[in-house]
Amino acid sequence: MATRHQVRQSVVSLLYANEMGSEMEEFSSEFLEEKKIRNDQKSFTLSLYNGVLDNLNLIDEELNSHLGKWKLEEIGTVERAILRLGAYEIKFSDIDDAIIINEAILLANELGSDSSTRLINGVLDAISKDKAK
């Protein structure tokens, strides 16, 4: 059974592939099977993935409002996927924000560039603080 971290890695990969123009329906099923993400974990993965896509405009607006001098389209595709997933979970899930941010930082360390971690931490922390207001 896949861990929640592996699920989030898969969601980031699916978001990346979607942005790169992959044929997602067939690709996502094959990808999740290859990663041995099945049953409840597959449902969780697809709910996160579809949740991000269903709320993409709202998520992107939120991210752009916290990026300062940057624009979301200027950030790397992997970092953008991590930020979108983290923002979605902060805004729409009951999972503790600290756990979400920590997971995003771990993903950035594994998948992103050297400067990704600070950017992702700062933006998601700001979103979390705004939510608490």
Side-chain angles (χ1 to χ4, degrees):
M1 179 188 284
T3 66
R4 287 194 168 227
H5 182 71
Q6 291 167 323
V7 164
R8 287 182 178 94
Q9 285 174 323
S10 296
V11 173
V12 168
S13 296
L14 290 172
L15 290 170
Y16 179 90
N18 182 58
E19 194 163 339
M20 294 293 113
S22 294
E23 294 294 324
M24 290 310 295
E25 195 168 317
E26 191 174 307
F27 173 79
S28 61
S29 293
E30 290 173 11
F31 177 78
L32 295 177
E33 184 59 34
E34 180 183 305
K35 295 290 183 182
K36 296 183 180 19
I37 297 176
R38 301 179 181 115
N39 305 319
D40 289 343
Q41 296 300 45
K42 182 176 181 179
S43 295
F44 180 55
T45 302
L46 293 174
S47 74
L48 289 176
Y49 172 68
N50 290 320
V52 171
L53 294 182
D54 291 345
N55 295 284
L56 195 58
N57 290 335
L58 177 68
I59 291 166
D60 285 358
E61 285 176 25
E62 185 78 25
L63 290 169
N64 274 318
S65 73
H66 289 92
L67 280 169
K69 65 180 180 176
W70 297 98
K71 296 278 187 244
L72 193 57
E73 57 272 2
E74 297 172 335
I75 294 172
T77 309
V78 170
E79 289 81 2
R80 201 166 35 246
I82 294 168
L83 281 169
R84 285 173 170 161
L85 174 58
Y88 171 76
E89 286 194 274
I90 288 170
K91 300 285 281 178
F92 297 101
S93 79
D94 294 333
I95 299 169
D96 186 79
D97 291 356
I99 293 169
I100 295 166
I101 294 168
N102 186 56
E103 280 288 325
I105 291 168
L106 290 173
L107 290 168
N109 281 331
E110 294 169 9
L111 306 171
S113 69
D114 291 340
S115 59
S116 301
T117 306
R118 284 191 3 207
L119 172 72
I120 289 169
N121 183 41
V123 171
L124 294 180
D125 187 55
I127 291 171
S128 176
K129 287 178 180 171
D130 273 0
K131 182 180 98 171
K133 289 182 183 176

